[in-house]
mmCIF file of all heavy atoms in Angstrom:
data_model
loop_
_atom_site.group_PDB
_atom_site.id
_atom_site.type_symbol
_atom_site.label_atom_id
_atom_site.label_comp_id
_atom_site.label_asym_id
_atom_site.label_seq_id
_atom_site.Cartn_x
_atom_site.Cartn_y
_atom_site.Cartn_z
ATOM 1 N N LEU Y 1 4.861 -12.275 -5.052
ATOM 2 C CA LEU Y 1 3.448 -12.360 -5.276
ATOM 3 C C LEU Y 1 2.943 -11.347 -6.216
ATOM 4 O O LEU Y 1 2.030 -11.697 -7.045
ATOM 5 C CB LEU Y 1 2.707 -12.154 -3.866
ATOM 6 C CG LEU Y 1 2.661 -13.396 -2.899
ATOM 7 C CD1 LEU Y 1 2.197 -12.996 -1.589
ATOM 8 C CD2 LEU Y 1 1.858 -14.465 -3.498
ATOM 9 N N ALA Y 2 3.398 -10.175 -6.179
ATOM 10 C CA ALA Y 2 3.002 -9.153 -7.153
ATOM 11 C C ALA Y 2 3.324 -9.516 -8.532
ATOM 12 O O ALA Y 2 2.404 -9.359 -9.530
ATOM 13 C CB ALA Y 2 3.749 -7.780 -6.844
ATOM 14 N N GLY Y 3 4.527 -10.174 -8.741
ATOM 15 C CA GLY Y 3 4.799 -10.737 -10.135
ATOM 16 C C GLY Y 3 3.850 -11.770 -10.531
ATOM 17 O O GLY Y 3 3.506 -11.824 -11.721
ATOM 18 N N ARG Y 4 3.473 -12.604 -9.558
ATOM 19 C CA ARG Y 4 2.565 -13.717 -9.918
ATOM 20 C C ARG Y 4 1.205 -13.188 -10.309
ATOM 21 O O ARG Y 4 0.591 -13.683 -11.319
ATOM 22 C CB ARG Y 4 2.435 -14.739 -8.783
ATOM 23 C CG ARG Y 4 1.624 -15.951 -9.053
ATOM 24 C CD ARG Y 4 1.977 -17.116 -8.234
ATOM 25 N NE ARG Y 4 1.384 -18.308 -8.778
ATOM 26 C CZ ARG Y 4 1.985 -19.464 -8.903
ATOM 27 N NH1 ARG Y 4 3.250 -19.588 -8.481
ATOM 28 N NH2 ARG Y 4 1.397 -20.554 -9.411
ATOM 29 N N ILE Y 5 0.655 -12.291 -9.477
ATOM 30 C CA ILE Y 5 -0.630 -11.669 -9.892
ATOM 31 C C ILE Y 5 -0.574 -11.045 -11.256
ATOM 32 O O ILE Y 5 -1.492 -11.200 -12.096
ATOM 33 C CB ILE Y 5 -1.040 -10.568 -8.874
ATOM 34 C CG1 ILE Y 5 -1.158 -11.298 -7.463
ATOM 35 C CG2 ILE Y 5 -2.271 -9.862 -9.300
ATOM 36 C CD1 ILE Y 5 -1.327 -10.217 -6.372
ATOM 37 N N SER Y 6 0.456 -10.327 -11.656
ATOM 38 C CA SER Y 6 0.639 -9.718 -12.933
ATOM 39 C C SER Y 6 0.758 -10.811 -13.999
ATOM 40 O O SER Y 6 0.044 -10.686 -15.069
ATOM 41 C CB SER Y 6 1.788 -8.832 -13.020
ATOM 42 O OG SER Y 6 2.032 -8.178 -14.245
ATOM 43 N N ASP Y 7 1.562 -11.817 -13.767
ATOM 44 C CA ASP Y 7 1.758 -12.868 -14.733
ATOM 45 C C ASP Y 7 0.408 -13.640 -15.087
ATOM 46 O O ASP Y 7 0.205 -13.986 -16.218
ATOM 47 C CB ASP Y 7 2.885 -13.906 -14.289
ATOM 48 C CG ASP Y 7 4.230 -13.197 -14.297
ATOM 49 O OD1 ASP Y 7 4.384 -12.206 -14.968
ATOM 50 O OD2 ASP Y 7 5.079 -13.780 -13.687
ATOM 51 N N ASP Y 8 -0.416 -13.793 -14.001
ATOM 52 C CA ASP Y 8 -1.677 -14.463 -14.199
ATOM 53 C C ASP Y 8 -2.733 -13.548 -14.800
ATOM 54 O O ASP Y 8 -3.831 -14.053 -15.134
ATOM 55 C CB ASP Y 8 -2.237 -14.970 -12.753
ATOM 56 C CG ASP Y 8 -1.364 -16.264 -12.331
ATOM 57 O OD1 ASP Y 8 -0.778 -16.860 -13.233
ATOM 58 O OD2 ASP Y 8 -1.461 -16.604 -11.221
ATOM 59 N N GLY Y 9 -2.417 -12.236 -15.012
ATOM 60 C CA GLY Y 9 -3.364 -11.440 -15.744
ATOM 61 C C GLY Y 9 -4.539 -11.075 -14.944
ATOM 62 O O GLY Y 9 -5.604 -10.750 -15.509
ATOM 63 N N ARG Y 10 -4.388 -10.976 -13.554
ATOM 64 C CA ARG Y 10 -5.578 -10.651 -12.760
ATOM 65 C C ARG Y 10 -5.659 -9.147 -12.413
ATOM 66 O O ARG Y 10 -4.573 -8.476 -12.358
ATOM 67 C CB ARG Y 10 -5.581 -11.357 -11.418
ATOM 68 C CG ARG Y 10 -5.425 -12.920 -11.462
ATOM 69 C CD ARG Y 10 -6.650 -13.496 -12.222
ATOM 70 N NE ARG Y 10 -6.419 -13.627 -13.649
ATOM 71 C CZ ARG Y 10 -7.355 -13.934 -14.433
ATOM 72 N NH1 ARG Y 10 -8.634 -14.029 -14.051
ATOM 73 N NH2 ARG Y 10 -7.041 -14.096 -15.661
ATOM 74 N N ALA Y 11 -6.872 -8.588 -12.404
ATOM 75 C CA ALA Y 11 -7.068 -7.244 -11.877
ATOM 76 C C ALA Y 11 -6.652 -7.143 -10.397
ATOM 77 O O ALA Y 11 -6.644 -8.216 -9.749
ATOM 78 C CB ALA Y 11 -8.424 -6.845 -12.133
ATOM 79 N N CYS Y 12 -6.355 -6.059 -9.885
ATOM 80 C CA CYS Y 12 -5.746 -6.078 -8.511
ATOM 81 C C CYS Y 12 -5.964 -4.683 -7.857
ATOM 82 O O CYS Y 12 -5.965 -3.632 -8.494
ATOM 83 C CB CYS Y 12 -4.242 -6.279 -8.653
ATOM 84 S SG CYS Y 12 -3.362 -6.362 -6.997
ATOM 85 N N VAL Y 13 -6.265 -4.785 -6.508
ATOM 86 C CA VAL Y 13 -6.252 -3.627 -5.730
ATOM 87 C C VAL Y 13 -5.285 -3.872 -4.502
ATOM 88 O O VAL Y 13 -5.360 -5.010 -3.866
ATOM 89 C CB VAL Y 13 -7.606 -3.368 -5.097
ATOM 90 C CG1 VAL Y 13 -7.644 -2.178 -4.048
ATOM 91 C CG2 VAL Y 13 -8.667 -3.146 -6.154
ATOM 92 N N ILE Y 14 -4.324 -2.954 -4.280
ATOM 93 C CA ILE Y 14 -3.365 -3.213 -3.248
ATOM 94 C C ILE Y 14 -3.974 -2.639 -1.879
ATOM 95 O O ILE Y 14 -4.282 -1.468 -1.847
ATOM 96 C CB ILE Y 14 -2.036 -2.494 -3.499
ATOM 97 C CG1 ILE Y 14 -1.494 -3.016 -4.876
ATOM 98 C CG2 ILE Y 14 -1.053 -2.715 -2.369
ATOM 99 C CD1 ILE Y 14 -0.249 -2.279 -5.422
ATOM 100 N N VAL Y 15 -4.151 -3.439 -0.977
ATOM 101 C CA VAL Y 15 -4.744 -3.106 0.330
ATOM 102 C C VAL Y 15 -3.693 -3.028 1.396
ATOM 103 O O VAL Y 15 -3.142 -4.140 1.747
ATOM 104 C CB VAL Y 15 -5.871 -4.083 0.697
ATOM 105 C CG1 VAL Y 15 -6.543 -3.614 2.021
ATOM 106 C CG2 VAL Y 15 -6.937 -4.128 -0.389
ATOM 107 N N VAL Y 16 -3.343 -1.856 1.781
ATOM 108 C CA VAL Y 16 -2.293 -1.688 2.902
ATOM 109 C C VAL Y 16 -2.934 -1.696 4.212
ATOM 110 O O VAL Y 16 -3.659 -0.707 4.673
ATOM 111 C CB VAL Y 16 -1.533 -0.421 2.680
ATOM 112 C CG1 VAL Y 16 -0.387 -0.339 3.715
ATOM 113 C CG2 VAL Y 16 -0.983 -0.313 1.235
ATOM 114 N N ASN Y 17 -2.923 -2.805 4.967
ATOM 115 C CA ASN Y 17 -3.630 -3.057 6.207
ATOM 116 C C ASN Y 17 -2.766 -2.557 7.340
ATOM 117 O O ASN Y 17 -1.574 -2.230 7.227
ATOM 118 C CB ASN Y 17 -3.967 -4.494 6.332
ATOM 119 C CG ASN Y 17 -4.973 -4.679 7.404
ATOM 120 O OD1 ASN Y 17 -5.685 -3.920 7.733
ATOM 121 N ND2 ASN Y 17 -4.942 -5.978 8.048
ATOM 122 N N LYS Y 18 -3.376 -2.470 8.502
ATOM 123 C CA LYS Y 18 -2.824 -2.079 9.833
ATOM 124 C C LYS Y 18 -2.304 -0.537 9.756
ATOM 125 O O LYS Y 18 -1.329 -0.244 10.432
ATOM 126 C CB LYS Y 18 -1.701 -2.908 10.246
ATOM 127 C CG LYS Y 18 -2.009 -4.477 10.251
ATOM 128 C CD LYS Y 18 -0.856 -5.287 10.614
ATOM 129 C CE LYS Y 18 -1.221 -6.814 10.595
ATOM 130 N NZ LYS Y 18 -0.169 -7.722 10.993
ATOM 131 N N TRP Y 19 -3.088 0.152 8.947
ATOM 132 C CA TRP Y 19 -2.652 1.588 8.769
ATOM 133 C C TRP Y 19 -2.902 2.411 10.157
ATOM 134 O O TRP Y 19 -2.336 3.466 10.438
ATOM 135 C CB TRP Y 19 -3.509 2.240 7.722
ATOM 136 C CG TRP Y 19 -3.096 3.634 7.337
ATOM 137 C CD1 TRP Y 19 -3.867 4.759 7.332
ATOM 138 C CD2 TRP Y 19 -1.891 4.092 6.835
ATOM 139 N NE1 TRP Y 19 -3.196 5.847 6.952
ATOM 140 C CE2 TRP Y 19 -1.970 5.449 6.676
ATOM 141 C CE3 TRP Y 19 -0.644 3.388 6.642
ATOM 142 C CZ2 TRP Y 19 -0.777 6.153 6.113
ATOM 143 C CZ3 TRP Y 19 0.450 4.122 6.080
ATOM 144 C CH2 TRP Y 19 0.312 5.492 5.920
ATOM 145 N N ASP Y 20 -3.764 1.877 11.044
ATOM 146 C CA ASP Y 20 -3.966 2.491 12.288
ATOM 147 C C ASP Y 20 -2.680 2.332 13.259
ATOM 148 O O ASP Y 20 -2.572 3.201 14.217
ATOM 149 C CB ASP Y 20 -5.118 1.823 13.092
ATOM 150 C CG ASP Y 20 -4.830 0.310 13.216
ATOM 151 O OD1 ASP Y 20 -4.682 -0.362 12.262
ATOM 152 O OD2 ASP Y 20 -4.854 -0.181 14.356
ATOM 153 N N ALA Y 21 -1.838 1.582 12.854
ATOM 154 C CA ALA Y 21 -0.565 1.326 13.768
ATOM 155 C C ALA Y 21 0.604 2.279 13.348
ATOM 156 O O ALA Y 21 1.567 2.246 14.002
ATOM 157 C CB ALA Y 21 -0.111 -0.073 13.688
ATOM 158 N N ILE Y 22 0.340 3.019 12.284
ATOM 159 C CA ILE Y 22 1.430 3.896 11.708
ATOM 160 C C ILE Y 22 1.276 5.332 12.300
ATOM 161 O O ILE Y 22 0.213 5.915 12.163
ATOM 162 C CB ILE Y 22 1.463 3.890 10.152
ATOM 163 C CG1 ILE Y 22 1.647 2.500 9.627
ATOM 164 C CG2 ILE Y 22 2.548 4.835 9.664
ATOM 165 C CD1 ILE Y 22 2.848 1.839 10.053
ATOM 166 N N GLU Y 23 2.317 5.932 12.800
ATOM 167 C CA GLU Y 23 2.221 7.388 13.191
ATOM 168 C C GLU Y 23 2.289 8.166 11.943
ATOM 169 O O GLU Y 23 3.139 7.955 11.026
ATOM 170 C CB GLU Y 23 3.476 7.710 14.049
ATOM 171 C CG GLU Y 23 3.462 7.043 15.427
ATOM 172 C CD GLU Y 23 4.647 7.436 16.295
ATOM 173 O OE1 GLU Y 23 5.346 8.388 15.845
ATOM 174 O OE2 GLU Y 23 4.831 6.844 17.377
ATOM 175 N N LYS Y 24 1.418 9.165 11.780
ATOM 176 C CA LYS Y 24 1.240 9.941 10.579
ATOM 177 C C LYS Y 24 1.395 11.438 10.822
ATOM 178 O O LYS Y 24 1.196 12.032 11.863
ATOM 179 C CB LYS Y 24 -0.140 9.572 10.067
ATOM 180 C CG LYS Y 24 -0.545 8.076 9.998
ATOM 181 C CD LYS Y 24 -2.001 7.932 9.659
ATOM 182 C CE LYS Y 24 -2.390 6.437 9.836
ATOM 183 N NZ LYS Y 24 -2.217 6.046 11.299
ATOM 184 N N ASP Y 25 1.627 12.015 9.679
ATOM 185 C CA ASP Y 25 1.502 13.506 9.609
ATOM 186 C C ASP Y 25 0.863 13.828 8.152
ATOM 187 O O ASP Y 25 0.326 12.910 7.586
ATOM 188 C CB ASP Y 25 2.854 14.247 9.730
ATOM 189 C CG ASP Y 25 3.948 13.759 8.709
ATOM 190 O OD1 ASP Y 25 3.445 13.457 7.562
ATOM 191 O OD2 ASP Y 25 5.061 13.809 8.979
ATOM 192 N N THR Y 26 0.823 15.032 7.823
ATOM 193 C CA THR Y 26 0.093 15.499 6.572
ATOM 194 C C THR Y 26 0.656 14.768 5.310
ATOM 195 O O THR Y 26 -0.135 14.409 4.455
ATOM 196 C CB THR Y 26 0.202 17.010 6.352
ATOM 197 O OG1 THR Y 26 -0.144 17.664 7.575
ATOM 198 C CG2 THR Y 26 -0.606 17.430 5.161
ATOM 199 N N TYR Y 27 1.851 14.401 5.305
ATOM 200 C CA TYR Y 27 2.521 13.883 4.156
ATOM 201 C C TYR Y 27 2.724 12.309 4.153
ATOM 202 O O TYR Y 27 3.335 11.717 3.229
ATOM 203 C CB TYR Y 27 3.915 14.623 3.724
ATOM 204 C CG TYR Y 27 3.617 16.019 3.660
ATOM 205 C CD1 TYR Y 27 4.108 16.904 4.713
ATOM 206 C CD2 TYR Y 27 3.230 16.567 2.485
ATOM 207 C CE1 TYR Y 27 3.924 18.264 4.617
ATOM 208 C CE2 TYR Y 27 3.048 17.943 2.382
ATOM 209 C CZ TYR Y 27 3.424 18.853 3.420
ATOM 210 O OH TYR Y 27 3.248 20.162 3.325
ATOM 211 N N THR Y 28 2.431 11.778 5.261
ATOM 212 C CA THR Y 28 2.752 10.356 5.589
ATOM 213 C C THR Y 28 2.225 9.478 4.387
ATOM 214 O O THR Y 28 2.917 8.582 3.744
ATOM 215 C CB THR Y 28 2.234 9.902 6.882
ATOM 216 O OG1 THR Y 28 2.844 10.702 7.912
ATOM 217 C CG2 THR Y 28 2.565 8.387 7.097
ATOM 218 N N ILE Y 29 0.965 9.518 4.034
ATOM 219 C CA ILE Y 29 0.329 8.568 3.088
ATOM 220 C C ILE Y 29 0.916 8.782 1.772
ATOM 221 O O ILE Y 29 1.132 7.707 0.955
ATOM 222 C CB ILE Y 29 -1.245 8.799 3.071
ATOM 223 C CG1 ILE Y 29 -1.834 7.555 2.489
ATOM 224 C CG2 ILE Y 29 -1.632 10.066 2.388
ATOM 225 C CD1 ILE Y 29 -3.399 7.532 2.659
ATOM 226 N N LEU Y 30 1.272 9.983 1.293
ATOM 227 C CA LEU Y 30 1.836 10.280 -0.041
ATOM 228 C C LEU Y 30 3.289 9.613 -0.035
ATOM 229 O O LEU Y 30 3.682 8.924 -0.972
ATOM 230 C CB LEU Y 30 1.922 11.717 -0.322
ATOM 231 C CG LEU Y 30 0.595 12.411 -0.395
ATOM 232 C CD1 LEU Y 30 0.784 13.906 -0.595
ATOM 233 C CD2 LEU Y 30 -0.258 11.832 -1.553
ATOM 234 N N ASP Y 31 4.034 9.815 0.957
ATOM 235 C CA ASP Y 31 5.420 9.352 1.008
ATOM 236 C C ASP Y 31 5.412 7.752 1.094
ATOM 237 O O ASP Y 31 6.149 7.152 0.444
ATOM 238 C CB ASP Y 31 6.209 9.939 2.239
ATOM 239 C CG ASP Y 31 6.385 11.367 2.105
ATOM 240 O OD1 ASP Y 31 6.327 11.897 1.020
ATOM 241 O OD2 ASP Y 31 6.601 12.062 3.234
ATOM 242 N N PHE Y 32 4.509 7.286 1.905
ATOM 243 C CA PHE Y 32 4.350 5.868 2.091
ATOM 244 C C PHE Y 32 3.948 5.159 0.791
ATOM 245 O O PHE Y 32 4.583 4.183 0.356
ATOM 246 C CB PHE Y 32 3.300 5.539 3.161
ATOM 247 C CG PHE Y 32 3.621 4.366 4.032
ATOM 248 C CD1 PHE Y 32 4.301 4.511 5.233
ATOM 249 C CD2 PHE Y 32 3.120 3.115 3.663
ATOM 250 C CE1 PHE Y 32 4.554 3.383 5.993
ATOM 251 C CE2 PHE Y 32 3.404 2.007 4.491
ATOM 252 C CZ PHE Y 32 4.204 2.178 5.678
ATOM 253 N N GLU Y 33 3.005 5.765 0.052
ATOM 254 C CA GLU Y 33 2.617 5.169 -1.258
ATOM 255 C C GLU Y 33 3.757 5.199 -2.256
ATOM 256 O O GLU Y 33 3.935 4.232 -3.006
ATOM 257 C CB GLU Y 33 1.352 5.912 -1.830
ATOM 258 C CG GLU Y 33 0.878 5.325 -3.108
ATOM 259 C CD GLU Y 33 -0.350 5.988 -3.587
ATOM 260 O OE1 GLU Y 33 -0.965 6.802 -2.841
ATOM 261 O OE2 GLU Y 33 -0.784 5.591 -4.813
ATOM 262 N N LYS Y 34 4.502 6.221 -2.247
ATOM 263 C CA LYS Y 34 5.628 6.369 -3.191
ATOM 264 C C LYS Y 34 6.656 5.231 -2.892
ATOM 265 O O LYS Y 34 7.122 4.607 -3.856
ATOM 266 C CB LYS Y 34 6.330 7.744 -2.992
ATOM 267 C CG LYS Y 34 7.415 8.017 -3.989
ATOM 268 C CD LYS Y 34 7.968 9.414 -3.894
ATOM 269 C CE LYS Y 34 9.115 9.629 -4.809
ATOM 270 N NZ LYS Y 34 9.587 11.003 -4.684
#
């Protein structure tokens, strides 16, 4: 799907949903995004 969005030339925002269900610490969001 990511490839299709890029091929179609659309602007995009990646929305990572259900973040409330993830156990977190100070570095979780940085490591997750990487």
Side-chain angles (χ1 to χ4, degrees):
L1 277 174
R4 183 153 197 141
I5 294 168
S6 178
D7 291 344
D8 284 341
R10 301 300 91 191
C12 181
V13 176
I14 302 171
V15 180
V16 185
N17 192 26
K18 306 182 184 179
W19 189 237
D20 57 302
I22 302 297
E23 294 184 6
K24 311 170 190 66
D25 58 31
T26 306
Y27 304 101
T28 301
I29 196 167
L30 298 175
D31 294 338
F32 216 89
E33 180 173 355
K34 184 176 180 180

